[in-house]
Amino acid sequence: MSEQAKRPKRKPLDLNRRSMPKQPPKIRSHNFYEVALGYQVESAVEEADRCIQCPKPKCVDNCPVEIDIPGFIKCIAERRFEDGVKILKEKNCLPAICGRVCPQEEQCEETCVLSKKKGQIAIGRLERFLADWEARQGKLKLLKRKKKTGKKVAVVGGGPAGLTVAGDLIQLGHEVTIFEALHKMGGVLTYGIPEFRLPKAIVGREVDYLGKLGVELVTDFVVGKTRTVDSLLKEYDAIFVGTGAGLPWFMDIPGENLNGVYSANEYLTRMNLMKGYLFPEFDTPIKNHRQMAVIGGGNVAMDCARTALRLGAETRIIYRRSRDELPARLEEVENAEEEGVIFEFLTLPLKYIGDENGWVREIECLRMELGEPDASGRRRPVPIKGSEFRFQVDGAVCAIGNSPNPLILSTTPGLEAGKKGNIVADEANGRTSRERIWAGGDVVTGAATVILAMGAGRQAAKSIHEYLLSH
Amino acid sequence: MFKVLSSQMIVPNLHQITLEAPAVAKEMRPGQFVILRADEDGERTPLSVCDWDAELGSITIIFLNIGSTTNRLSELRDGMYIPTVVGPLGNATDIENYGTVLLVGGCYGIGSLFPIARALKEKGNRIIMVMEARSSYLLYWVERYKQISDEVVFITRDGTLGLRGHVTCLDDYIKNQETPIDMAIINGCTFLMKTGSDTTKPFDIKTIVSLNPIMIDGTGMCGVCRVRIGGETKFACVDGPDFDGHQVDWEELLQRRKTYMREEVVPFRTSGCQGHSCKSQG
Ligand SMILES: Cc1cc2nc3c(=O)[nH]c(=O)nc-3n(C[C@H](O)[C@H](O)[C@H](O)COP(=O)(O)OP(=O)(O)OC[C@H]3O[C@@H](n4cnc5c(N)ncnc54)[C@H](O)[C@@H]3O)c2cc1C
Ligand SMILES: Cc1cc2nc3c(=O)[nH]c(=O)nc-3n(C[C@H](O)[C@H](O)[C@H](O)COP(=O)(O)OP(=O)(O)OC[C@H]3O[C@@H](n4cnc5c(N)ncnc54)[C@H](O)[C@@H]3O)c2cc1C
Ligand code: SF4
Ligand code: SF4
Ligand code: FES
């Protein structure tokens, strides 16, 4: 089965992954600019040249949208950047975003044949390089729209799932309107993922592009409140629901409502959507804490911790399992470590302790050890008796997860709900239990990834298009 | 963009503004609120809707000029635009035939109670409207209320009109009622709602308050609006804003509302100018 056997023996294997320049930790931990700076043309070409162009590329199998990876990489190696962009965009309408935030180490790059020798191709970085290259050319090429069909589609939610559906359907000639609850499009890309990881200008560029294609972008519109899905169905032929998983979980431990304890969504929204780091130039305040605790171990926890650090706090991540189980992207864990975030592994918060004015002052925790594997296959953390200890904090962020907001389900009769408050939809085409309603992204799967939300959007768009043509 | 149809100061520091927001006006029900932003860099600010006209597509809001957003809102003139008006948010107040309902409003709450009073009247309730203020010159919409109420009671702290004192003097008033009061609804500042609830409690009158914690999105996404009701944490924007005033953890609400007190004075302190007023003109 070895792919390498079939490799034409023209050049020796180059296992030296070209590094991508980053802002040095000491500097970036004090600013909000993007951490990773992206490949220069030469390093991108060198990196692309390492790809051995497998005839049966394993990398592609593990990309949720099945980008022709060797195809676009070859274009970079041969400096045919424009062709490369075209290949990317066939499958992925947001490459500048996925190249930055995809968990590549468990997707495309994990199965790259060279990963066995620790020399996997930096597929994400190359994807980002091409997308950024295109943006730098400044000439935005609008793809041709097909002849107008006269059909109207409403997309609920302006996150990656919704944006993808809108982009696909507008090009197929349908009229598309996106309804977004917040005052800006982009979903988590706008309100959640920080500027230093995903500059908002990039998200803005993609949204503008949809606007130029003719998608109607309606912000400040909460479907289920401003109008229900059923009321929209009177005007639109089909509806796609991509409302994400925006409902924050709390731990339900004592002291959680003390001042200074936030949900990750609040903390990140103040920061990113409302530009709290520019307060008082922008109106929305964010606190500068001295000692911050962030509970959780996923991407969201890393983002909160690195935000708090940049605002000047000594920041601890409190995670109940060990480093190996951290669900966050490895790259972001390493970035956080380099920047000086302190990790308290195998630690479980028990309660927050406040002062007389209701401000959080201390957090009490319990040490854990790893026991038998649980349902997720990861070893279950078990408390060590009598290991309670406290440390001082003046701020804490709970980043233990989100589930879908019940608003759409509670206002749309007949829409089937799953066990976790999600909307039930066919994985292959996004169809829900209701005629003319599709759903996809986090609202169906629970909190997942940008690329999976886009993939779901793409499948739903296909299915909606077929439906519209035959009705 | 949402157009300002009219704007005026109705009593010192309280402003009434009517905005064009047809989609919101169409779905609006008593007790609901909107979130608005006064300009592109602005904060998202929750405000109750005091009146609306579904046909004209307009909503009316009354607000206290208290911080940077409300200050900027107060400077809006007819024909100007603001970037965000989203809603209607929150659950509507339950309107049923309760019998006799005691409505207590102070500050902006006098305005926000109006649609509730009107709907309750239409349902056949007997309405006792209590208007509370520091002094008689701070009361507004008196004529409007006289038209829909069976009785209007005034409480002023300086005694310039009606009962003298704070809402606690309702104690005697309730005691002396011939027909029992079946329900109380209180809107206004947190302190008024708290003391009002404390006052009705000994009489075992079911009391509904419209809570006003800090909010951002107003859709259940951020959790900043959490309040404790009967020992359980709720999100005021989606589970409320109406709650049983006898179940609210008032201490926690008052304390959580102070979270950004220090930061909120910054725009005013840094320089009288850069913080607020100049920006809305530029
Ligand atoms: C802090 C953070 C960091 C992350 N980091 C990564 C990462 O590095 N890599 C990665 O792949 N994934 C990451 N994720 C996960 C990823 O962002 C999500 O899986 C993805 O955004 C889901 O897309 P979506 O379109 O389904 O929903 P969302 O992005 O959540 O968008 C849903 C949109 O719908 C709107 N909406 C909700 N209800 C309504 C309504 N009733 N009416 C109108 N609009 C409504 C919301 O306001 C929102 O804008 C991260 C998530 C978070 C929170
Ligand atoms: C559901 C809901 C409905 C509301 N309806 C109305 C309404 O109809 N009219 C209205 O005027 N307000 C209403 N409020 C309160 C209003 O949202 C705040 O007054 C407003 O956010 C202040 O914004 P700002 O930027 O001007 O002041 P900020 O700069 O944000 O705040 C200034 C300071 O004043 C404090 N503060 C804010 N409001 C009050 C208050 N009412 N009483 C005492 N102290 C306060 C704040 O905690 C802060 O410390 C409502 C709140 C909620 C949650
Ligand atoms: S979209 Fe994500 S998984 Fe697919 S190739 Fe790009 S980085 Fe890899
Ligand atoms: S990226 Fe890796 S798996 Fe994919 S074609 Fe190149 S060498 Fe093969
Ligand atoms: S305001 Fe954000 S959850 Fe209520």
Side-chain angles (χ1 to χ4, degrees):
Chain A
M1 277 299 283
S2 166
E3 307 275 349
Q4 284 163 52
K6 295 184 204 133
R7 182 168 53 89
K9 290 199 175 58
R10 52 186 170 99
K11 61 182 180 194
L13 265 189
D14 176 355
L15 290 172
N16 173 25
R17 227 168 117 97
R18 298 298 186 271
S19 60
M20 173 171 60
K22 282 197 228 173
Q23 281 195 65
K26 281 227 170 69
I27 293 180
R28 69 181 194 242
S29 56
H30 297 287
N31 68 48
F32 287 92
Y33 299 117
E34 192 172 13
V35 167
L37 303 172
Y39 279 144
Q40 300 292 314
V41 174
E42 288 318 311
S43 45
V45 171
E46 277 175 31
E47 179 68 16
D49 210 32
R50 295 201 304 116
C51 167
I52 55 178
Q53 296 289 317
C54 310
K56 277 194 209 142
K58 282 276 198 308
C59 51
V60 178
D61 297 347
N62 222 16
C63 165
V65 294
E66 295 175 352
I67 292 180
D68 174 6
I69 295 171
F72 87 76
I73 291 185
K74 189 157 192 248
C75 292
I76 300 179
E78 294 170 359
R79 295 175 194 263
R80 292 183 292 110
F81 301 135
E82 211 163 329
D83 296 343
V85 172
K86 240 182 249 152
I87 295 179
L88 273 182
K89 292 219 161 159
E90 262 166 38
K91 291 287 168 70
N92 181 343
C93 55
L94 307 171
I97 293 167
C98 293
R100 286 175 166 81
V101 304
C102 250
Q104 292 102 6
E105 70 274 6
E106 25 183 278
Q107 294 183 352
C108 51
E109 294 180 16
E110 183 184 38
T111 46
C112 167
V113 284
L114 301 183
S115 73
K116 285 179 219 142
K117 297 202 161 87
K118 300 229 182 308
Q120 66 273 28
I121 303 297
I123 302 169
R125 293 174 186 174
L126 290 173
E127 186 170 332
R128 164 188 172 156
F129 165 80
L130 269 189
D132 288 356
W133 176 87
E134 190 203 19
R136 267 201 307 278
Q137 304 311 299
K139 46 174 187 195
L140 192 79
K141 266 213 226 121
L142 290 187
L143 290 169
K144 271 237 180 70
R145 272 180 80 174
K146 290 233 172 91
K147 218 178 85 221
K148 287 204 174 153
T149 61
K151 302 280 184 183
K152 291 174 76 180
V153 181
V155 171
V156 185
L163 295 176
T164 306
V165 171
D168 284 6
L169 290 178
I170 195 90
Q171 284 170 38
L172 291 165
H174 309 296
E175 271 179 57
V176 186
T177 307
I178 307 183
F179 294 98
E180 165 58 47
L182 295 171
H183 57 268
K184 277 211 181 99
M185 292 282 166
V188 169
L189 307 178
T190 296
Y191 77 73
I193 303 180
E195 178 77 16
F196 56 80
R197 210 147 69 75
L198 177 64
K200 298 307 150 219
I202 293 173
V203 184
R205 199 165 75 206
E206 302 298 344
V207 172
D208 286 349
Y209 179 72
L210 288 183
K212 291 203 179 101
L213 283 176
V215 174
E216 192 187 354
L217 304 166
V218 179
T219 49
D220 301 314
F221 196 107
V222 185
V223 175
K225 283 287 181 188
T226 315
R227 272 178 80 177
T228 59
V229 168
D230 281 295
S231 149
L232 290 172
L233 274 174
K234 289 186 195 140
E235 212 176 295
Y236 293 87
D237 299 293
I239 290 193
F240 174 81
V241 179
T243 47
L247 192 80
W249 294 346
F250 285 94
M251 294 184 73
D252 238 346
I253 57 176
E256 221 165 13
N257 289 353
L258 286 166
N259 288 5
V261 183
Y262 314 90
S263 77
N265 280 358
E266 179 191 351
Y267 196 64
L268 293 171
T269 301
R270 278 186 187 279
M271 199 59 194
N272 302 315
L273 180 70
M274 307 309 297
K275 303 237 180 298
Y277 60 98
L278 298 176
F279 179 83
E281 194 183 317
F282 282 66
D283 280 346
T284 308
I286 189 160
K287 289 262 170 199
N288 293 341
H289 292 284
R290 275 177 211 185
Q291 288 163 306
M292 192 73 150
V294 177
I295 323 295
N299 285 321
V300 184
M302 298 304 140
D303 286 346
C304 293
R306 295 171 69 199
T307 296
L309 187 99
R310 281 163 172 73
L311 288 171
E314 177 188 271
T315 307
R316 285 190 162 70
I317 284 198
I318 302 182
Y319 181 55
R320 64 196 179 116
R321 304 181 198 245
S322 70
R323 191 178 189 279
D324 289 343
E325 288 87 26
L326 278 173
R329 292 182 60 199
L330 187 63
E331 189 176 329
E332 304 307 344
V333 175
E334 287 169 358
N335 279 336
E337 284 171 336
E338 282 173 17
E339 286 163 16
V341 172
I342 304 161
F343 284 78
E344 300 280 353
F345 292 115
L346 292 164
T347 306
L348 180 76
L350 294 179
K351 65 175 171 197
Y352 300 99
I353 298 135
D355 64 13
E356 65 284 1
N357 297 320
W359 279 92
V360 63
R361 282 294 167 256
E362 274 186 310
I363 174 167
E364 183 170 306
C365 300
L366 195 64
R367 292 286 187 203
M368 315 287 277
E369 58 192 353
L370 288 180
E372 295 300 308
D374 62 10
S376 71
R378 297 177 301 178
R379 291 176 64 194
R380 185 195 305 273
V382 232
I384 302 174
K385 269 219 180 81
S387 66
E388 288 88 350
F389 69 103
R390 291 182 176 191
F391 58 89
Q392 286 194 346
V393 291
D394 63 356
V397 181
C398 185
I400 58 166
N402 290 305
S403 55
N405 191 311
L407 182 58
I408 296 288
L409 276 168
S410 65
T411 54
T412 316
L415 199 56
E416 191 187 335
K419 281 197 200 92
K420 294 182 175 154
N422 54 311
I423 295 177
V424 175
D426 190 321
E427 222 177 278
N429 56 31
R431 276 179 173 278
T432 66
S433 58
R434 287 257 327 250
E435 179 89 347
R436 300 201 284 140
I437 304 179
W438 282 256
D442 281 6
V443 72
V444 170
T445 55
T449 60
V450 173
I451 189 70
L452 285 173
M454 284 183 40
R458 176 129 297 176
Q459 298 307 328
K462 251 190 233 160
S463 169
I464 293 171
H465 179 58
E466 281 162 17
Y467 172 88
L468 291 176
L469 289 191
S470 62
H471 280 78
Chain B
M1 298 295 266
F2 299 82
K3 191 174 175 181
V4 179
L5 297 175
S6 71
S7 157
Q8 70 195 104
M9 185 157 90
I10 46 172
V11 294
N13 224 25
L14 270 175
H15 297 255
Q16 175 176 333
I17 182 169
T18 300
L19 296 158
E20 189 174 69
V24 180
K26 206 165 160 218
E27 292 297 319
M28 200 71 213
R29 283 183 296 147
Q32 289 187 299
F33 64 96
V34 291
I35 283 189
L36 49 78
R37 288 189 311 143
D39 69 16
E40 268 310 325
D41 307 342
E43 214 171 348
R44 296 172 62 93
T45 303
L47 295 166
S48 310
V49 175
C50 304
D51 207 355
W52 61 92
D53 186 326
E55 264 162 43
L56 281 180
S58 66
I59 60 169
T60 297
I61 284 157
I62 290 182
F63 62 90
L64 183 69
N65 183 350
I66 193 174
S68 41
T69 310
T70 46
N71 188 47
R72 211 166 303 146
L73 285 174
S74 72
E75 288 167 352
L76 292 171
R77 294 291 165 261
D78 303 5
M80 290 168 96
Y81 288 84
I82 59 170
T84 292
V85 176
V86 57
L89 299 172
N91 300 306
T93 303
D94 286 330
I95 304 291
E96 279 169 41
N97 190 332
Y98 299 106
T100 299
V101 184
L102 181 77
L103 296 167
V104 184
C107 186
Y108 69 84
I110 296 178
S112 65
L113 271 178
F114 186 74
I116 299 170
R118 188 171 51 193
L120 284 170
K121 186 70 202 167
E122 279 164 15
K123 274 268 172 185
N125 289 282
R126 185 168 159 257
I127 305 289
I128 304 172
M129 177 65 196
V130 180
M131 300 176 134
E132 189 264 358
R134 251 184 314 118
S135 186
S136 57
Y137 71 90
L138 293 171
L139 294 167
Y140 57 96
W141 285 17
V142 175
E143 284 313 311
R144 278 186 150 207
Y145 272 107
K146 282 190 172 158
Q147 281 170 23
I148 59 161
S149 314
D150 296 272
E151 192 180 340
V152 179
V153 178
F154 302 102
I155 304 177
T156 50
R157 240 161 294 164
D158 62 0
T160 41
L161 186 64
L163 305 170
R164 182 196 181 109
H166 207 280
V167 46
T168 43
C169 64
L170 274 179
D171 188 52
D172 277 340
Y173 177 83
I174 297 173
K175 256 185 230 156
N176 296 331
Q177 282 296 300
E178 278 159 25
T179 35
I181 292 166
D182 301 293
M183 173 87 155
I185 303 179
I186 314 177
N187 276 11
C189 73
T190 317
F191 187 72
L192 172 83
M193 293 192 284
K194 175 188 185 303
T195 41
S197 301
D198 290 348
T199 309
T200 56
K201 192 153 189 207
F203 301 98
D204 226 8
I205 301 171
K206 175 144 192 191
T207 301
I208 299 297
V209 291
S210 176
L211 297 188
N212 51 8
I214 298 173
M215 290 189 178
I216 299 178
D217 58 299
T219 65
M221 183 269 269
C222 73
V224 67
C225 64
R226 56 199 193 278
V227 287
R228 206 195 309 260
I229 312 295
E232 234 184 284
T233 295
K234 300 273 182 194
F235 289 4
C237 67
V238 287
D239 301 324
D242 282 4
F243 293 102
D244 180 343
H246 299 148
Q247 300 284 324
V248 174
D249 183 336
W250 294 104
E251 292 311 313
E252 187 181 281
L253 176 62
L254 286 163
Q255 151 228 311
R256 285 187 62 77
R257 280 173 53 84
K258 287 192 200 130
T259 307
Y260 293 98
M261 211 147 74
R262 225 190 268 168
E263 284 75 10
E264 270 146 3
V265 296
V266 173
F268 293 94
R269 211 171 36 202
T270 39
S271 85
C273 170
Q274 156 234 3
H276 51 289
S277 42
C278 292
K279 221 151 76 173
S280 56
Q281 287 155 18

